[in-house]
């Protein structure tokens, strides 16, 4: 039987989806990785829509990391579940046929820093699948590029003055959001940043009561959204001009592009979706008082999972409203 206190104090810090789109992985603050079958969830939701108690809402597997430390970030590549810990990135073999996590197959130790030995968390992982390069935003203010072919750290991107919260990439361009209040833009081939945004210096975006930090960034070929302490905002990448600011009510931790719109979440019991001109197109109520992770896919099933400061994960199969709530533990 699960300790009731554990249910109350669980925080889902990270999520990822398997390459084949069939499994959801959630990492929490107790060193556990929760595994859910997306196929089973979606198929059951269609057949038992009028009886939610019959939905498979509990994980089919709970994997405890040997370190029992917080699972700061997750990614997935081919048959490997990739886990970002403190100062290292680990790969665990995933057996999709049996739905099991095998032994740790590889570990990448990030360069040690005398200044940040105790706090160099791998806060965020973004995977460039085309080039098989993993980008890690870390607590030592550096973003590392790791080759998944041989496990080498092939580049270090230095420019932030405080730890990195988020990494996003598209078409060879990468953006990083940091506690220092800046969003830096990088060409993947260069170790010096090519552009810099400081939203807190924009009077229309600044919210002094929340601070200057940038908690989230997401980019496409033409657009960038970011937020944190300052207001959530949309920027045109070519001109680096802010075109829209959104009426998100609190601090921000997650953002992204979905269908023809934009989503945002943070210290708020709703996930908001917006049009590019700032209109609210959906307001999804959540189980958690704060959102720290959102993952989505459109194939083979439309599926969005929203998680944060609770032992429940909210699922949207149409991206407009919540229709399933997953539980981290058995009731």
């Amino acid at each position: 039987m699960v300790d009731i206190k554990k249910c109350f104090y669980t925080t889902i810090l990270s999520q990822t989806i398997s390459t084949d789109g069939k499994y959801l992985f959630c990492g929490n603050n107790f060193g556990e990785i929760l595994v859910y079958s997306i196929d089973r969830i979606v198929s059951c939701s269609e057949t038992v829509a009028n009886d939610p108690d019959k939905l498979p809402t509990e994980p089919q597997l709970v994997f405890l990391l040997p370190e029992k430390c917080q699972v700061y970030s997750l990614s997935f590549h081919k048959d490997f579940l990739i886990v970002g810990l403190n100062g290292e990135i680990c790969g665990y073999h995933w057996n999709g046929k049996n739905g099991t996590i095998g032994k740790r197959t590889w570990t990448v130790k990030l360069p040690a820093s005398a200044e940040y030995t105790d706090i160099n968390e791998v806060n965020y992982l973004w995977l460039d699948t085309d080039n098989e390069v993993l980008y890690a935003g870390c607590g030592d203010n550096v973003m590392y590029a790791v080759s998944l072919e041989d496990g080498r750290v092939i580049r270090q991107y230095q420019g932030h003055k405080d730890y990195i919260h988020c990494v996003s990439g598209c078409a060879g361009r990468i953006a990083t959001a940091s506690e220092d209040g800046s969003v830096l833009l990088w060409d993947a081939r260069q170790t010096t940043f090519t552009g810099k945004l400081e939203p807190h210096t924009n009077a229309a975006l600044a919210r002094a009561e929340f601070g200057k930090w940038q908690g989230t960034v997401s980019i496409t070929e033409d657009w960038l959204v970011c937020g944190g302490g300052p207001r959530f905002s949309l920027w045109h990448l070519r001109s680096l001009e802010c075109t829209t600011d959104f009426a998100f009510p609190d601090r921000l931790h997650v953002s992204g592009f979905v269908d023809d719109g934009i989503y945002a979440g943070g210290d708020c019991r709703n996930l908001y979706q917006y049009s590019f001109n700032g209109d609210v197109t959906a307001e999804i109520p959540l189980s958690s008082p704060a959102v720290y992770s959102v993952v989505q896919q459109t194939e083979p099933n439309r599926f969005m999972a929203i998680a944060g400061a609770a032992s429940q994960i909210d699922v949207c199969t149409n991206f407009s409203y919540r229709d399933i709530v997953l539980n981290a533990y058995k009731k």
Side-chain angles (χ1 to χ4, degrees):
M1 196 71 179
V2 173
D3 187 344
I4 297 299
K5 290 182 179 178
K6 201 171 187 180
C7 294
F8 283 113
Y9 293 106
T10 292
T11 296
I12 308 294
L13 299 169
S14 54
Q15 297 183 94
T16 192
I17 296 175
S18 58
T19 303
D20 60 11
K22 294 184 177 181
Y23 291 92
L24 170 70
F25 302 85
C26 304
N28 70 18
N29 56 322
F30 292 113
E32 297 171 332
I33 297 175
L34 318 170
V35 185
Y36 301 85
S37 169
I38 295 176
D39 279 353
R40 188 168 174 231
I41 292 165
V42 172
S43 62
C44 287
S45 70
E46 295 171 351
T47 58
V48 297
N50 297 322
D51 193 354
D53 290 336
K54 292 184 179 180
L55 280 169
T57 62
E58 296 164 359
Q60 70 173 54
L61 173 67
V62 178
F63 179 76
L64 180 63
L65 291 173
E67 297 86 353
K68 297 182 181 179
C69 61
Q70 299 189 73
V71 185
Y72 301 113
S73 51
L74 290 172
S75 188
F76 201 98
H77 181 58
K78 295 183 177 178
D79 294 325
F80 288 96
L81 174 65
I82 303 172
V83 185
L85 300 173
N86 193 355
E88 62 182 21
I89 302 168
C90 310
Y92 286 86
H93 186 263
W94 168 250
N95 188 328
K97 292 183 179 180
N98 299 327
T100 57
I101 297 174
K103 293 183 178 180
R104 183 180 296 185
T105 306
W106 51 264
T107 300
V108 177
K109 296 281 189 181
L110 298 178
S113 166
E115 186 179 357
Y116 296 100
T117 43
D118 296 328
I119 58 170
N120 190 19
E121 302 96 346
V122 180
N123 292 324
Y124 204 94
L125 294 172
W126 178 75
L127 176 63
D128 178 353
T129 53
D130 292 337
N131 296 299
E132 296 191 319
V133 176
L134 185 70
Y135 293 87
C138 297
D140 62 355
N141 315 343
V142 180
M143 177 174 67
Y144 298 91
V146 178
S147 168
L148 292 179
E149 291 184 355
D150 54 19
R152 291 184 305 111
V153 175
I154 54 178
R155 287 187 184 88
Q156 298 182 37
Y157 301 85
Q158 300 186 29
H160 283 295
K161 297 178 181 179
D162 212 330
Y163 57 89
I164 297 172
H165 282 289
C166 187
V167 180
S168 179
C170 181
R173 177 177 277 183
I174 303 166
T176 51
S178 170
E179 185 72 10
D180 65 13
S182 71
V183 171
L184 298 183
L185 298 170
W186 312 81
D187 182 314
R189 300 162 297 183
Q190 303 175 18
T191 56
T192 302
F193 61 86
T194 59
K196 183 177 184 179
L197 302 176
E198 293 182 294
H200 67 278
T201 63
N202 184 323
L205 304 178
R207 297 187 296 183
E209 68 274 23
F210 293 147
K212 68 178 184 178
W213 58 280
Q214 287 295 307
T216 179
V217 64
S218 186
I219 65 172
T220 66
E221 290 189 11
D222 299 314
W223 299 98
L224 177 150
V225 287
C226 62
R231 289 169 64 90
F232 186 47
S233 52
L234 174 70
W235 301 71
H236 188 253
L237 275 177
R238 186 172 298 175
S239 63
L240 293 186
E241 291 185 359
C242 179
T243 62
T244 310
D245 64 273
F246 304 91
F248 189 86
D250 217 307
R251 303 168 182 86
L252 289 115
H253 303 297
V254 297
S255 65
F257 295 88
V258 54
D259 292 336
D260 295 325
I262 300 160
Y263 68 80
D267 292 346
C268 178
R269 280 196 174 271
N270 294 293
L271 184 81
Y272 288 90
Q273 293 186 21
Y274 301 94
S275 64
F276 276 63
N277 64 9
D279 295 333
V280 175
T281 57
E283 188 175 335
I284 304 171
L286 304 173
S287 303
S288 169
V291 180
Y292 299 133
S293 173
V294 174
V295 290
Q296 60 168 310
Q297 66 175 19
T298 56
E299 296 292 340
N301 299 297
R302 285 178 69 84
F303 184 89
M304 174 185 283
I306 308 158
S311 59
Q312 291 80 38
I313 300 109
D314 297 304
V315 172
C316 308
T317 57
N318 68 351
F319 297 176
S320 296
Y321 62 86
R322 177 185 66 183
D323 48 355
I324 305 167
V325 179
L326 306 178
N327 297 301
Y329 307 107
K330 293 182 179 180
K331 295 180 180 179

